[in-house]
Amino acid sequence: MKVTDDAVLGGRVRLRQPASGYRAGMDAALLAAACDAGPGERVIEAGCGVGGALLAAASRRQQARFVGLERDPGAAALARTNAALNGLDDRVEIVEGEVERGFRILERPVFDAAISNPPFFDDPAALRAPAPDKSGAWMADGGLAAWTAFCLKAVREGGTITLIHRADRLADLLALLAPKAGSFRIRPIAPFADAPAKRVIVRAIKTGKAPLVLLPPLVLHARGDTAHAPAAEAILRGEAALDW
């Protein structure tokens, strides 16, 4: 497998990842920026891949500990390599396993927070089949329900669940989380100020009861400008976080 050696988070994190197939990008960077784990807290990422979001979050939150769950052995091996490359292997652990089998199979105490970028599709008939080397990242075998159920089981009462997903699945996310979580805060991610959001970041608290809050969108670009807008660029470079 050919790999590239990339720099993310303004060069603070080195990331070795496959030259072809699924590669960590904007969604991973935004998920990492949305992780607000405090000192001593434990965070699990469901489906960590090569560690794009996991290692960026660990770099941002230097007093928290992280576990990444990944089903693909090749991706898990790269994630371990990346953790060591960045000097984070004392706080970041990679575990091989499948989200669809549930959290209990890991036989671990619950975490303070769970983060995830679930595969965006769970119906193979709904889109042209992805390339084989991307199917694991794009297609959720157990459906979105398996990923939300895993995160709900993985965190303690009062713990947080933070997910980034397609904006058109927002209603599904809320419905799947709502039986056991609340205090929703939703951050739309829009390509332009005058365009509909294509992504949403949803943060929920297990057993939370506060009213839902729809936050101002993060706008990625100005019309006619290929560069990121200043607020988005600051987040991608690790100079700012996505506040809740």
Side-chain angles (χ1 to χ4, degrees), residues 213-230:
V213 175
L214 183 61
L215 297 164
L218 174 66
V219 177
L220 299 180
H221 304 278
R223 284 287 184 192
D225 190 349
T226 58
H228 290 111

Side-chain angles (χ1 to χ4, degrees), residues 115-194:
I115 62 174
S116 187
N117 177 12
F120 281 174
F121 302 96
D122 50 20
D123 180 5
L127 78 165
R128 181 168 54 87
D133 53 2
K134 291 186 178 182
S135 61
W138 285 12
M139 300 300 299
D141 292 342
L144 190 55
W147 291 72
T148 53
F150 179 94
C151 292
L152 285 167
K153 288 289 186 183
V155 300
R156 60 172 173 80
E157 291 191 4
T160 61
I161 298 163
T162 305
L163 307 173
I164 185 168
H165 212 273
R166 292 162 34 205
D168 64 341
R169 296 300 301 273
L170 176 58
D172 296 324
L173 279 172
L174 297 180
L176 289 166
L177 292 168
K180 296 184 178 179
S183 303
F184 293 104
R185 299 182 79 85
I186 301 166
R187 176 82 65 183
I189 309 296
F192 305 102
D194 58 352

